[in-house]
Amino acid sequence: MNKVTRPSRAGDRVFSALVTGAGVLILAILAGGALFLVVKGWRALTAKAEDLPGGETFLRYVWPLAYGTILSATIAIIIAVPLAVGVALFITYFAPRRLANLLAALVDLLAAIPSVIYGLWGIAVLGPAAVGLQDWLSDHLDFLPFFKGPPSPTGRTMFVLGIVLAVMILPIISAIVREVFAQTPRSLREGSLALGATRWEMIRMTVLPFGRPAIISASMLGLGRALGETMAVALILSVSGGVTLNLISSGNPSTIAANIALNFPESSGLAVNLLIATGLVLFAITLLVNSAARLIIGRQIRE
Amino acid sequence: MTVAGYTSELRRSGTLPGWAPWATYGAGSALAVILSRATGINVALLVVAAIILAGVAIYVWSRALEGSRRATDRMATLAVTSTFAIAMVPLVSLLATVIRKGSDRFDPGFFTDSLRNVVGAGGGAVHAIVGTVIITGLATFMAVPIGILTAVYLREYGAGRRLAAAVTFFVDVMTGIPSIVAGLFAYALFALFLGPGVRLGIVGAVALTVLMIPIVVRATEEMLRIVPNSLREAAYALGVPKWRTIVRVVLPTALGGIITGVMLAIARVVGETAPLLVTTGVITSTNWNPFEGRMMNLSVFAYFQYKTPGVPPEPYFARAWAAALTLIIIVLVLYFLARLVSLRWGRTEMQR
């Protein structure tokens, strides 16, 4: 900032107050919202177990939901990250230059499709299509706890949900990774090619090491998105509430977000407070994941 | 790369013909089909098998003619290309499904009737479309000024200030808020004043505003960042006050990008379901007033038609898909208009 003072003018003061006010308003909205959520949720946190719907303590109520949330998001990340890196590599270094922009726009389009439509697609198309695969998995890989079965005949399972979530977060991850891949210093890339590296060796030795922090932080941002995803889960998953590693049976734990969506419309009284309290837990989890991601991004990319 | 490796590379200086990757892909697929006939294997596994077989084939072929480094390169190319192809399958399948199933009820009745007194077939979603337009419009009306002004504050006034650092941090936090939590936010806010069980269009609009603000702030900030400083300095040198410089020079320069950002933000929230599920409620007739009574919208409409169908379920499913198709068309139109604006008015950062 330069220290040269300009004559102070009324217009300047008004405008400065206006824009500062907008910033303060954002802080106020967030603080207000968070405060009211805590106020509403607190009643459920402190209520006695027998007063809560279901007659369990808050922790017992939220634990299977938190487990389901983390499990589904983990499956999504495991599937989505390699695919997203592949997509980003394809667009930046493999696709014909003229096509690259178009393909990038197509992938971004995936991110723009509303989540409820992914849910419909999952339940109507992917679920039935996955039944055969799940049967095969339970026939041949049932020694793994994940595929113990019995396989669900409808495909409304954790496994299918994980795939749908992966499809939903793939464009988010690949957009960030793509941008960083494209920023790999030209001198490094062309240097390695000039030394006789093949395209893959160039990528392995310059692009991937350069982009590694971006891959990690983009994955965590994707994880945050998958943790908070609601409608796809509410539509696809057939819920029984048990905590299990079995991914292909019809008895699955629900997730925090889906549980809110499924129960909130018909709830009243303390049940609403209980759902809001679970919402706070979800918020805390996503905040943690996102902050970690921002920390890594901030260290690598800014400036 | 050792010298020995390099000389062995030189000895095999043959090259695969240009059609080689396609040939191996074909051969891999053919082999996988044969294998699947023999073992009764699943389609998804078949595709994976085809890719792996093609990878092995091109590696062996290329290694014999071109050496191991070229062979690895070819295998990697095949793997990356296949990854992209696999990632595109859901997009194609999803669009095809929505268009096929959605066109059944994509008729005039869908856009002129509500679901008032409708049981079974017939009826439409006009009440949901009205709700979507009003709620999204209100959210845009609130989020855009706040977002743009905040971005101006951060870029033009905020440098080095604590408050600006705090705002930047909390805008980041907002970006990561799960949409259902944004819904609870708005609900808790209004429930405190209007009592529990509040269901109004405006509550949903506030929830969407919370989701839109960070997108608008980010997009505007990004655009203000690339407005050349020389423009600002030229205005100052002519004695133009700072606020006029911003309003008359900086913002108009960035306008194309800001409009693009706003449209992408609208496209992002227009299909939001979860926050509206907990804030606006469900209703079967048209409500034009966001400040009184429940309000339907397209995504919640699609959700409930599919989740809680009547008997027989087919007309309910058909309406759900038609709503999905309508939503996708709205999103696509917004998306392509945004692209058009950004092409027309120069370079922008597209959505992240």
Side-chain angles (χ1 to χ4, degrees), chain A residues 15-26:
Chain A
F15 191 74
S16 160
L18 187 70
V19 295
T20 314
V24 172
L25 183 63
I26 288 183

Side-chain angles (χ1 to χ4, degrees), chain A residues 7-302:
Chain A
S8 168
R9 295 177 228 217
D12 264 345
R13 263 177 280 139
V14 170
F15 191 74
S16 160
L18 187 70
V19 295
T20 314
V24 172
L25 183 63
I26 288 183
L27 295 185
I29 293 173
L30 270 180
L35 186 71
F36 298 145
L37 275 186
V38 172
V39 167
K40 289 253 159 202
W42 193 252
R43 276 192 56 201
L45 287 174
T46 53
K48 285 198 219 70
E50 55 265 30
D51 295 340
L52 288 173
E56 290 170 320
T57 58
F58 175 70
L59 279 181
R60 279 181 165 240
Y61 179 81
V62 81
W63 153 243
L65 300 174
Y67 172 81
T69 307
I70 293 169
L71 179 65
S72 59
T74 309
I75 302 171
I77 279 295
I78 291 173
I79 300 173
V81 170
L83 282 175
V85 171
V87 167
L89 275 182
F90 182 79
I91 291 174
T92 42
Y93 294 109
F94 285 87
R97 280 278 58 101
R98 255 179 297 170
L99 271 181
N101 276 333
L102 184 72
L103 296 179
L106 262 182
V107 175
D108 285 346
L109 196 59
L110 267 173
I113 292 173
S115 64
V116 67
I117 298 180
Y118 278 110
L120 292 179
W121 178 73
I123 197 173
V125 179
L126 189 66
V131 169
L133 179 60
Q134 292 186 357
D135 289 347
W136 189 88
L137 286 172
S138 89
D139 284 348
H140 295 84
L141 296 174
D142 58 347
F143 53 87
L144 293 172
F146 312 114
F147 305 126
K148 197 161 265 154
S152 151
T154 55
R156 297 177 57 184
T157 61
M158 205 41 111
F159 179 70
V160 169
L161 174 66
I163 298 176
V164 173
L165 289 180
V167 174
M168 297 176 71
I169 61 176
L170 184 146
I172 300 165
I173 301 175
S174 94
I176 301 172
V177 174
R178 187 177 74 213
E179 215 151 281
V180 176
F181 277 178
Q183 286 169 11
T184 312
R186 182 174 275 262
S187 54
L188 286 183
R189 288 189 279 122
E190 293 186 346
S192 65
L193 289 176
L195 289 171
T198 61
R199 180 163 55 182
W200 173 245
E201 286 163 347
M202 180 272 281
I203 287 169
R204 196 163 49 82
M205 291 189 286
T206 68
V207 176
L208 289 182
F210 183 81
R212 186 172 300 128
I215 297 174
I216 296 170
S217 55
S219 311
M220 297 182 80
L221 287 179
L223 183 65
R225 186 60 71 90
L227 289 168
E229 177 46 45
T230 312
M231 300 323 293
V233 190
L235 274 165
I236 292 170
L237 207 56
S238 99
V239 171
S240 74
V243 171
T244 167
L245 269 180
N246 192 344
L247 304 180
I248 57 172
S249 77
S250 40
N252 305 285
S254 188
T255 73
I256 294 178
N259 184 57
I260 297 173
L262 289 171
N263 294 319
F264 198 92
E266 282 91 37
S267 291
S268 61
L270 206 53
V272 171
N273 298 77
L274 181 63
L275 291 175
I276 289 181
T278 62
L280 276 173
V281 173
L282 173 65
F283 184 47
I285 297 175
T286 49
L287 190 61
L288 213 67
V289 170
N290 283 324
S291 310
R294 299 268 168 214
L295 220 63
I296 301 169
I297 284 193
R299 212 175 284 158
Q300 167 73 8
I301 299 172
R302 295 244 168 86

Side-chain angles (χ1 to χ4, degrees), chain A residues 12 36 121 196 200-201 234, chain B residues 69 73 93 189 192 243 307 335:
Chain A
D12 264 345
F36 298 145
W121 178 73
W200 173 245
E201 286 163 347
Chain B
R69 291 175 54 215
D73 183 54
S93 159
L189 193 72
L192 215 65
W243 74 275
K307 190 78 181 173
Y335 191 82

